[in-house]
Amino acid sequence: MQEHPGLDISAPQRMPSAAAAMAHRQVSALDAGPPADAPQVSIVIPIYNEADNLPDLVQRVHDAMVPCGRSFELICVDDGSRDGSARILQALAAERPWLQPVYLIRNYGQSTALQAGFDVVRGEFVATLDGDLQNDPLDIPVLLTHLDAHPELDVISGWRKDRQDAALSRKLPSRIANGLISKVTGVKLHDYGCALKLYRSQIIHDLRLYGELHRFIPALAAEVGAKIVEVPVRHHARTRGTSKYGIDRTFRVLLDLLWIKFLLRFLHRPIHAFGGIGLGLGLMGLLILVWLTFEKLVLGQSIGGRPLLMLGGLLVLIGAQLVATGVLGEMLTRIYHEPQGRPQYMTRTAPRPAPNQTSTAAGGLARHDS
């Protein structure tokens, strides 16, 4: 499989001493590791109206994880289901101490449901998959083996190479979306939409998901310095329940991409986004006004009723407003970071482990290294 360069992003900036101290405490808490009684693996599954699939899903996770000999917890986040999924989860959890349900008071969406699960994970590794039984839990031990063999990696993203979905309504829009996301974010993956992924817990602690950003987790992970590979995984046709996605998702991806592009490039320097456009428009307007002034004073022509005069003034005003918006954005960025001591960067306690030279990458690994 073709290898692609990835991202290894860091943006160190100076912080006030109080903020630096708070950031140090936050990082130290994460680096201290999970509690002694924490499971090795946390599996997070968002659930929405999957009552028919839940018993089989929980059993399949159990059957996949027990033979691999790793302690685990299954965190099923009920995202305001209306088909009794929450009650089924409660009944299943009563007999299974490793099953930890989370009940959201209403339907927030997949990104929020995932974040609710990430907020309570305790494991060293965090796996995610969908609750529709199309992802196979048997792939989780395989991904864990890959991550163990390659300590330099942080994220393994599943690739539904033999996807069992309708070609026109699911595969084609997905292929278009994957191409667009890869182009815009610079993190080239075949399958951004595959829910089956495996993370080191540090990466999860460094991420926050809002809106529908779950589709862009690999790009967000790369932003905090993660090294990512893509591995082919199994995919099954849906046999029970109905899909929660349609072709309209492609159009929502286009809107989300605008936010992601801004987030990755201009979050800490919004004046470069707004100010650059504002200066360009303002300069165009100023040149128009200078030319009209020359015509009026030197050539003696009347300019009072010319549309070009209105255009020049409008461009100058729009440019000034955009520059002012950029300045406000810079002020909001500092308000966001400084009062609560949020750092603008991430640190490690030690250098990233070197690649395992004694073992080659398993078949299907597509690297996204720096």
Side-chain angles (χ1 to χ4, degrees):
M1 184 176 298
Q2 184 179 0
E3 297 188 355
H4 305 281
L7 300 178
D8 191 2
I9 303 174
S10 60
Q13 300 181 26
R14 185 176 300 277
M15 298 172 54
S17 57
M22 183 175 293
H24 176 74
R25 290 194 296 271
Q26 292 172 345
V27 172
S28 298
L30 292 177
D31 292 338
D37 60 343
Q40 293 175 286
V41 184
S42 296
I43 303 170
V44 178
I45 305 179
I47 302 295
Y48 182 63
N49 292 343
E50 298 289 357
D52 294 336
N53 291 320
L54 274 175
D56 198 10
L57 173 67
V58 171
Q59 187 60 44
R60 289 190 189 187
V61 171
H62 174 271
D63 294 343
M65 295 303 299
V66 169
C68 76
R70 299 176 189 255
S71 59
F72 71 97
E73 63 178 354
L74 173 59
I75 301 170
C76 290
V77 182
D78 178 68
D79 189 21
S81 298
R82 301 178 180 178
D83 65 346
S85 294
R87 291 189 295 273
I88 294 174
L89 276 176
Q90 185 179 35
L92 292 170
E95 302 174 353
R96 298 166 177 82
W98 44 268
L99 175 57
Q100 306 293 329
V102 176
Y103 309 105
L104 302 185
I105 62 174
R106 64 173 178 85
N107 178 241
Y108 288 92
Q110 189 171 352
S111 292
T112 301
L114 281 172
Q115 186 61 61
F118 291 163
D119 287 342
V120 297
V121 296
R122 299 179 297 149
E124 178 184 358
F125 304 101
V126 179
T128 61
L129 65 157
D130 275 338
D132 55 10
L133 297 179
Q134 291 193 262
N135 298 132
D136 198 327
L138 288 173
D139 283 317
I140 296 176
V142 178
L143 300 186
L144 286 166
T145 301
H146 283 324
L147 208 56
D148 286 340
H150 299 277
E152 75 278 8
L153 301 179
D154 300 299
V155 179
I156 298 181
S157 182
W159 174 18
R160 298 165 293 183
K161 197 171 185 178
D162 185 21
R163 185 173 179 179
Q164 304 299 309
D165 279 324
L168 185 60
S169 62
R170 300 296 298 276
K171 289 185 180 180
L172 179 60
S174 179
R175 181 170 296 183
I176 295 172
N178 288 324
L180 286 173
I181 296 172
S182 296
K183 180 70 174 177
V184 170
T185 64
V187 181
K188 301 184 185 299
L189 297 178
H190 297 88
D191 193 356
Y192 268 86
C194 182
L196 182 54
K197 294 179 173 65
L198 182 67
Y199 312 86
R200 299 191 189 276
S201 60
Q202 177 66 57
I203 297 300
I204 292 301
H205 290 305
D206 291 339
L207 294 179
R208 299 299 299 180
L209 300 180
Y210 305 94
E212 296 191 7
L213 294 186
H214 62 275
R215 301 187 188 97
F216 308 99
I217 289 180
L220 297 174
E223 171 69 7
V224 297
K227 300 231 176 175
I228 306 167
V229 298
E230 191 174 36
V231 176
V233 295
R234 284 165 281 201
H235 190 250
H236 306 293
R238 178 185 272 273
T239 58
R240 295 188 290 258
T242 58
S243 174
K244 315 304 185 296
Y245 304 109
I247 196 169
D248 63 313
R249 179 175 58 167
T250 304
F251 301 103
R252 297 201 301 270
V253 167
L254 295 177
L255 296 176
D256 291 335
L257 269 176
L258 296 176
W259 166 238
I260 285 294
K261 184 65 175 178
F262 180 86
L263 182 69
L264 296 181
R265 187 170 181 181
F266 298 113
L267 179 63
H268 296 293
R269 46 192 178 98
I271 197 169
H272 289 186
F274 297 102
I277 299 174
L279 287 177
L281 294 178
L283 181 60
M284 291 172 56
L286 185 61
L287 290 175
I288 291 174
L289 295 179
V290 168
W291 170 251
L292 291 176
T293 301
F294 173 79
E295 288 188 341
K296 174 69 174 178
L297 299 180
V298 178
L299 304 181
Q301 298 180 5
S302 175
I303 63 173
R306 297 180 61 176
L308 198 60
L309 178 62
M310 297 180 62
L311 177 62
L314 183 63
L315 289 176
V316 170
L317 288 175
I318 294 176
Q321 288 179 331
L322 287 174
V323 171
T325 300
V327 173
L328 289 175
E330 290 286 332
M331 295 173 64
L332 290 174
T333 298
R334 281 151 180 75
I335 291 172
Y336 173 79
H337 284 290
E338 292 176 3
Q340 299 187 35
R342 294 187 179 96
Q344 300 98 313
Y345 54 83
M346 306 294 176
T347 62
R348 299 179 184 275
T349 56
R352 186 189 301 277
N356 190 342
Q357 302 294 337
T358 61
S359 63
T360 58
L365 282 177
R367 291 186 177 275
H368 300 273
D369 296 344
S370 302

